[in-house]
Amino acid sequence: MKEIRHEPVAPTRTQWLAPGAAIDPHRHDDHQIVYAGRGVLAVTTSTGLWIAPATRAIWVPAGTVHAHQAHGELALHLVGLPASENPLNLAEPAVLTVGPLLRELILAHTDAHTDVHDDSPERARLRAVLLDQLRVSPQQPVHLPAPSSPQLKAVCEILRTNPADNRTLPALGREVGASDRTLSRLFKADLGMTFPQWRTQLRLYRALVLLAEDTPVTTVAHRCGWSSASAFIDVFRRSFGHTPGAHQPRS
């Protein structure tokens, strides 16, 4: 098994990742805010996959083993916070809404030309406002939990391979040798959500990846299992507050 890197201090910086680039599993003794100013970021932890387009940031608590994956050209902004400073009062990863003000604060705090060790009053005030904005940032359920049950793993892998698979839970259950009643119970007990909720989260995640690769919206809709582009746009807008076109590099 590959050794998990231990980086005691969570860095505060900006770095660019090429499409498809990854950062191997590692952990910090500090908390960290991870934000993609451009592209789509996927953060994998032991509890599942956390997805963040440019309107979301991911809270990674101290000690959490996590890995990064870039979809599209990624501008990665990292904000490290001491373990004693937890503005969200959260011990688990979370996805946060990033409004215009919070976005500009993160960009300014992680500016490549800024000395992260600067202890000037100006930077202290910037940091204080950033923490205030994090405290009031709404959490968003853009999370794809990882199953532990073998039968549930089999169903989830089928759908990961083909998110457009529209088979019902009973039909999928017949393929993996489990009743739909058993699978329904496992989805709620193991993943904390229903089968339709999990499948919608999977499809939204795959849609974000395809949009970051500049795939046309209609193609994204069909590859991810929606019956039409308009149905996809409606679900996407209700989930993220804007249309899919906002996530495409050319937009």
Side-chain angles (χ1 to χ4, degrees):
M1 180 181 293
K2 189 171 184 179
E3 185 176 357
I4 295 169
R5 279 187 297 117
H6 175 215
E7 299 178 0
V9 178
T12 295
R13 65 170 182 249
T14 298
Q15 67 184 97
W16 287 85
L17 295 179
I23 298 177
D24 291 339
H26 60 285
R27 63 184 175 86
H28 308 292
D29 295 336
D30 296 336
H31 304 303
Q32 192 171 55
I33 296 291
V34 185
Y35 173 66
R38 175 179 178 146
V40 172
L41 171 69
V43 174
T44 303
T45 74
S46 61
T47 60
L49 190 65
W50 305 82
I51 309 148
T55 55
R56 304 290 187 267
I58 298 176
W59 165 257
V60 182
T64 302
V65 176
H66 59 289
H68 303 309
Q69 176 75 47
H71 298 291
E73 187 178 28
L74 190 71
L76 186 61
H77 300 270
L78 304 170
V79 178
L81 298 172
S84 59
E85 194 168 22
N86 188 335
L88 299 169
N89 197 28
L90 291 175
E92 299 294 333
V95 176
L96 311 173
T97 298
V98 176
L101 176 56
L102 181 54
R103 171 184 166 84
E104 293 306 317
L105 289 166
I106 292 174
L107 296 184
H109 194 66
T110 59
D111 189 293
H113 302 292
T114 301
D115 179 6
V116 296
H117 302 294
D118 178 9
D119 57 359
S120 67
E122 292 80 8
R123 186 164 178 82
R125 286 194 293 270
L126 173 66
R127 180 184 176 84
V129 177
L130 171 60
L131 294 177
D132 282 343
Q133 285 298 301
L134 286 173
R135 290 186 185 97
V136 299
S137 178
Q139 296 180 46
Q140 296 291 328
V142 192
H143 172 218
L144 198 64
S148 58
S149 159
Q151 292 169 315
L152 208 55
K153 282 183 178 179
V155 170
C156 292
E157 186 56 35
I158 290 170
L159 298 177
R160 285 180 189 272
T161 302
N162 179 20
D165 189 330
N166 278 314
R167 280 181 290 175
T168 63
L169 193 57
L172 290 167
R174 285 192 290 273
E175 180 164 338
V176 303
S179 70
D180 60 315
R181 183 188 296 266
T182 295
L183 291 174
S184 292
R185 177 179 56 79
L186 287 173
F187 266 101
K188 292 179 181 177
D190 204 3
L191 304 181
M193 59 179 65
T194 65
F195 168 64
Q197 289 171 332
W198 190 91
R199 179 152 63 180
T200 297
Q201 290 290 82
L202 171 67
R203 288 175 170 178
L204 286 170
Y205 163 61
R206 186 60 60 86
L208 286 170
V209 170
L210 292 172
L211 291 168
E213 296 170 351
D214 212 14
T215 307
V217 170
T218 299
T219 302
V220 173
H222 292 304
R223 285 188 187 177
C224 295
W226 277 280
S227 59
S228 66
S230 60
F232 164 53
I233 291 169
D234 180 59
V235 173
F236 195 96
R237 183 189 290 113
R238 284 190 278 112
S239 298
F240 296 109
H242 49 260
T243 61
H247 291 280
Q248 294 185 299
R250 64 186 175 206
S251 62

